[in-house]
Amino acid sequence: DHKHLTFFEMLGNFSIGDYFKKDAVPFAWELVTQMFELDPNRLYVTVHLGDDEAYDIWHDDIGVPAERIYRYGNKDNWWGPAGNEGATGPCSEIHYDGGAGRGCGPMVDPDVLSELQQKEQDGGDPQPVPGCHPNCDCERFVELWNLVFMQFYQDTQGERTPLPAPSVDTGMGLERAAVILQDKTNIYE
């Protein structure tokens, strides 16, 4: 489709105990808004349902309006572990808005989406989302950057314990960045 290929080049960085959310989020925002010069009004952020710390950094420290921060459950905003056990944690993503004309309808309110996501997270059946949102399957949004906050170790029974040195693993698709920076509508252009 317009944002997925069979091969892609992943850009990113790691921090193993050197810095965590409080630094990683501003680094990401500085790169996309100052270095890439993307309009902050075209950027939406996603966080995990339970990650109030990341939400507060995006909203209070960075200044992203609440109506552009969406909360999702484990399916969309939790990473790992890569195998039966290992490092795992919530993630936060920066999505680029290609414009309402590329969307599937009006934007759903972030609070409404959070309620639906929480019900599903609690074991309820997935419900249709009444509107467009950053993780929508339409062509309005492109996930530009994923910040994974590895803060737990998950054992083979699924029990999580805090890591002694929380880590950051970020990823940004080179092709997606090129599409956005060249003001194209898809990767094939």
Side-chain angles (χ1 to χ4, degrees):
D1 62 21
H2 79 286
K3 57 189 171 187
H4 295 94
L5 299 173
T6 56
F7 174 81
F8 66 95
E9 182 71 27
M10 184 63 76
L11 309 172
N13 65 295
F14 293 91
S15 166
I16 302 177
D18 291 330
Y19 61 87
F20 199 48
K21 295 176 192 179
K22 198 79 167 156
D23 293 316
V25 168
F27 290 160
W29 194 251
E30 177 184 9
L31 180 69
V32 297
T33 61
Q34 294 177 30
M35 305 300 285
F36 288 177
E37 299 180 348
L38 296 178
D39 180 357
N41 294 316
R42 294 187 76 173
L43 300 174
Y44 283 70
V45 173
T46 65
V47 297
H48 187 266
L49 284 167
D51 195 353
D52 293 335
E53 181 184 8
Y55 182 97
D56 291 344
I57 293 168
W58 283 113
H59 184 264
D60 300 338
D61 298 352
I62 302 299
V64 176
E67 63 269 14
R68 289 206 325 267
I69 304 175
Y70 283 75
R71 292 179 180 263
Y72 293 91
N74 290 347
K75 186 176 87 172
D76 291 304
N77 278 84
W78 191 272
W79 184 89
N84 293 330
E85 62 182 315
T88 188
C91 59
S92 183
E93 302 160 336
I94 300 172
H95 294 256
Y96 184 77
D97 183 359
R102 299 183 66 204
C104 58
M107 293 293 291
V108 65
D109 182 273
D111 292 333
V112 170
L113 182 79
S114 292
E115 289 176 26
L116 293 172
Q117 290 286 304
Q118 190 63 58
K119 286 178 185 175
E120 184 177 337
Q121 187 85 4
D122 293 340
D125 291 331
Q127 299 295 313
V129 178
C132 198
H133 55 97
N135 279 330
C136 190
D137 285 333
C138 71
E139 295 192 6
R140 178 172 179 167
F141 292 96
V142 175
E143 178 192 323
L144 177 60
W145 198 343
N146 189 358
L147 297 96
V148 176
F149 304 122
M150 295 179 291
Q151 60 190 96
F152 301 102
Y153 173 81
Q154 182 173 308
D155 65 23
T156 55
Q157 284 74 44
E159 296 295 319
R160 295 179 180 148
T161 55
L163 289 171
S167 304
V168 175
D169 173 4
T170 72
M172 176 191 303
L174 174 64
E175 292 83 358
R176 291 182 184 186
V179 168
I180 292 166
L181 291 171
Q182 294 176 44
D183 197 28
K184 302 297 180 185
T185 59
N186 67 67
I187 242 167
Y188 303 99
E189 294 177 359

